[in-house]
C-alpha cells in the first residue's frame, strides 16, 4: 500500500509538472510585429528622455564630477557658481559641456534599457504578486515599485558601465592634463591597453549598490506620487483624469531629490575608484594632496575609509549642491519627456496597472 501511495504521488507530481510546462509553452510565443514595434518605441522614448535631460544639465554634471575628485589641498572649484565661472573662464563655453557627447552616448542606451527594464520588471512582479495574493485586481505597492526600479537600474548600469567610466575620465581631464583622451573610442582602447579589461568595470560594485536605492526610489516615488494624486485629486491637480506637465515635473523633482540624497556617497566612491589606475589622474586628485601619485584603493570599503580619513565625512557629499541642482530637473525632465514621447508615438505609458 505504501509503495502504491508513493507511486500515486509521484505520478501526480509528474502530471503537475507536465501541465505547468504545457501552460508555459503555450504562454511563451514569439513576439508579434506589433509587440516588437511597441518595444522599439519604448526604447526610443527612453533614449530620447535620457539624452534631453542629461544635455540640459551637462555643465552641472561636469562640475559635480570635478568637485568629487579634486585635490582637497589644491582647490580649484569652490561651490556651484564659482565652479561654473572658473570653467567658463579657463575653458570657455565648450568646457561646460566637455564629456557630454560621451555622456549622451552612455545615457541614451542606459536610459532606454532602464525605462524598458522597469516596465518589464513591473509587469513580471505584478503578475507574481497577483498570483501570490490570489487577487487579479491587485496593484503594485511602493515597495514592489522599488524592487522593479532596482532591477532596472542594475541591468542598465551593468550594460553601459564601461561608457560611464570613460565618460568620467573625459569629463575630468583638462587642457593641462599630461595625456589627452581624444574621444570615446580612444579612451576605451587606452584603458584596455594600459590597465586591462577589468579596469572598465572598476567601481562597479558601489555603482550597483548605489543604483538600487537611487533608481529604485526614483521610480517608486514618481509612480506612487502620481497614483496618489490621481486617486485623491489633491489640490485639484487632476484634470480629465490626467496630471499636467507641471505636476508631473514636480513628482519627478521629488523623486530625484530623495533618490540622489540617499545614494550620493556611493556615487562619490564610484567616481574615485574609476580614477584609480589612470596615471595622469595625479593632475586632478592626489589622495591626501601631499603626494605626486593618485591614491590607490583596494576596494569599495577601503575607498570609503581612506576618503573619510583624509578628508572627513563631508567628503562623501562633495558636489552634492550642483548635483542637487542638476538631478532635480534632470529626473523630472527625463520622466516627463519619456511619457510625452511615448504618447506621441502612440504607446501606453501607464506601467503600474
Amino acid at each position: 500500500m505504501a509503495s502504491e501511495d508513493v507511486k500515486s504521488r509521484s505520478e501526480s507530481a509528474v502530471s503537475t509538472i507536465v501541465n505547468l510546462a504545457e501552460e508555459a509553452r503555450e504562454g511563451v510565443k514569439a513576439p508579434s510585429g506589433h509587440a516588437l514595434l511597441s518595444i522599439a518605441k519604448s526604447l526610443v522614448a527612453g533614449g530620447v528622455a535620457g539624452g534631453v535631460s542629461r544635455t540640459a544639465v551637462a555643465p552641472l554634471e561636469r562640475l559635480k564630477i570635478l568637485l568629487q575628485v579634486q585635490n582637497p589641498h589644491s582647490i580649484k572649484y569652490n561651490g556651484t557658481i564659482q565652479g561654473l565661472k572658473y570653467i567658463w573662464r579657463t575653458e570657455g563655453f565648450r568646457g561646460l559641456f566637455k564629456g557630454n557627447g560621451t555622456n549622451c552616448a552612455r545615457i541614451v542606451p542606459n536610459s532606454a534599457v532602464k525605462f524598458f527594464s522597469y516596465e518589464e520588471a513591473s509587469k513580471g512582479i505584478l503578475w507574481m504578486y497577483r498570483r501570490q495574493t490570489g487577487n487579479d485586481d491587485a496593484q503594485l505597492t511602493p515597495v514592489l515599485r522599488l524592487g522593479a526600479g532596482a532591477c532596472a537600474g542594475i541591468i542598465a548600469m551593468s550594460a553601459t558601465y564601461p561608457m560611464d567610466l570613460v565618460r568620467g575620465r573625459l569629463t575630468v581631464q583638462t587642457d593641462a592634463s599630461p595625456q589627452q583622451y581624444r574621444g570615446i573610442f580612444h579612451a576605451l582602447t587606452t584603458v584596455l591597453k594600459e590597465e586591462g579589461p577589468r579596469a572598465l568595470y572598476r567601481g562597479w560594485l558601489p555603482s550597483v549598490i548605489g543604483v538600487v536605492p537611487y533608481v529604485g526610489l526614483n521610480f517608486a516615488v514618481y509612480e506612487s506620487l502620481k497614483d496618489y494624486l490621481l486617486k485623491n485629486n489633491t489640490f485639484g491637480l487632476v484634470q480629465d483624469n490626467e496630471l499636467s506637465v507641471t505636476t508631473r515635473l514636480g513628482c519627478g523633482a521629488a523623486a530625484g531629490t530623495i533618490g540622489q540624497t540617499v545614494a550620493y556617497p556611493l556615487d562619490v566612491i564610484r567616481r574615485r575608484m574609476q580614477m584609480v589606475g589612470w596615471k595622469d589622474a595625479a593632475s586632478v586628485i592626489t589622495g591626501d594632496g601631499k603626494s605626486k601619485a593618485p591614491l590607490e584603493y583596494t576596494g569599495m570599503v577601503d575607498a570609503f575609509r581612506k576618503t573619510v580619513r583624509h578628508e572627513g565625512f563631508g567628503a562623501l557629499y562633495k558636489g552634492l549642491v550642483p548635483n542637487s541642482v542638476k538631478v532635480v530637473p534632470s529626473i523630472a525632465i527625463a520622466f516627463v519627456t519619456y511619457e510625452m514621447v511615448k504618447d506621441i508615438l502612440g504607446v501606453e505609458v501607464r506601467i503600474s496597472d
Side-chain angles (χ1 to χ4, degrees):
M1 291 294 291
S3 61
E4 290 179 1
D5 186 49
V6 171
K7 180 179 180 182
S8 175
R9 290 182 181 179
S10 299
E11 290 176 350
S12 176
V14 172
S15 177
T16 300
I17 293 172
V18 170
N19 289 336
L20 289 173
E22 286 295 323
E23 290 178 8
R25 185 180 61 81
E26 292 175 1
V28 177
K29 299 178 181 178
S32 63
H34 178 74
L36 290 174
L37 181 60
S38 178
I39 291 172
K41 288 179 177 179
S42 180
L43 291 171
V44 168
V48 171
V52 170
S53 65
R54 196 49 62 96
T55 300
V57 296
L60 290 165
E61 174 69 12
R62 182 173 187 226
L63 178 61
K64 178 203 76 171
I65 295 174
L66 288 170
L67 284 169
Q68 286 179 336
V69 303
Q70 76 172 334
N71 184 336
H73 295 274
S74 178
I75 301 297
K76 294 180 180 179
Y77 314 97
N78 188 19
T80 305
I81 303 301
Q82 182 275 336
L84 291 173
K85 287 181 177 179
Y86 183 86
I87 294 173
W88 177 276
R89 187 173 68 252
T90 58
E91 301 181 59
F93 178 78
R94 292 183 62 182
L96 294 172
F97 290 86
K98 183 170 289 184
N100 187 56
T102 311
N103 199 16
C104 286
R106 176 192 69 90
I107 204 64
V108 168
N110 179 281
S111 183
V113 172
K114 181 172 64 180
F115 277 100
F116 178 72
S117 297
Y118 177 74
E119 292 191 0
E120 295 305 307
S122 295
K123 293 174 185 176
I125 290 174
L126 181 59
W127 179 82
M128 290 189 291
Y129 182 58
R130 287 174 173 174
R131 286 288 297 271
Q132 184 181 21
T133 60
N135 180 8
D136 291 337
D137 295 323
Q139 300 300 317
L140 286 173
T141 65
V143 174
L144 294 177
R145 289 195 181 103
L146 180 65
C151 291
I154 291 172
I155 292 170
M157 170 64 72
S158 299
T160 60
Y161 191 79
M163 293 298 297
D164 182 67
L165 181 136
V166 166
R167 186 266 301 204
R169 295 194 178 189
L170 284 169
T171 301
V172 163
Q173 74 177 11
T174 66
D175 293 336
S177 297
Q179 178 182 339
Q180 293 285 323
Y181 291 129
R182 296 192 297 270
I184 300 172
F185 182 74
H186 179 249
L188 283 170
T189 54
T190 302
V191 172
L192 278 171
K193 180 180 178 181
E194 296 184 354
E195 304 172 46
R198 291 183 62 183
L200 293 175
Y201 280 88
R202 187 175 287 129
W204 176 84
L205 181 58
S207 300
V208 168
I209 295 174
V211 86
V212 169
Y214 179 63
V215 178
L217 284 170
N218 282 345
F219 279 109
V221 173
Y222 181 73
E223 291 292 332
S224 297
L225 273 177
K226 280 193 354 179
D227 276 0
Y228 176 81
L229 293 175
L230 286 168
K231 290 175 182 176
N232 297 280
N233 193 18
T234 307
F235 306 119
L237 295 173
V238 180
Q239 298 178 356
D240 300 325
N241 295 322
E242 289 291 338
L243 295 174
S244 67
V245 171
T246 303
T247 302
R248 282 182 283 163
L249 282 171
C251 293
T257 300
I258 294 172
Q260 68 98 26
T261 301
V262 172
Y264 193 77
L266 286 157
D267 187 56
V268 172
I269 295 304
R270 167 187 63 151
R271 195 64 63 196
R272 293 191 169 204
M273 290 181 70
Q274 287 178 347
M275 299 301 133
V276 173
W278 181 19
K279 65 179 185 298
D280 294 318
S283 63
V284 182
I285 177 173
T286 58
D288 62 3
K290 299 175 182 178
S291 65
K292 294 292 185 180
L295 191 64
E296 295 288 337
Y297 305 119
T298 59
M300 182 181 68
V301 175
D302 184 55
F304 267 109
R305 182 173 56 82
K306 288 180 178 176
T307 297
V308 173
R309 185 178 68 196
H310 290 306
E311 302 170 53
F313 185 79
L316 296 176
Y317 286 90
K318 279 187 173 181
L320 180 62
V321 173
N323 191 63
S324 298
V325 176
K326 167 198 74 99
V327 84
V328 170
S330 177
I331 296 297
I333 291 169
F335 276 120
V336 174
T337 302
Y338 177 70
E339 294 190 344
M340 291 179 68
V341 173
K342 287 195 74 174
D343 188 49
I344 292 171
L345 295 175
V347 181
E348 178 61 43
V349 301
R350 294 289 296 160
I351 56 183
S352 59
D353 296 336

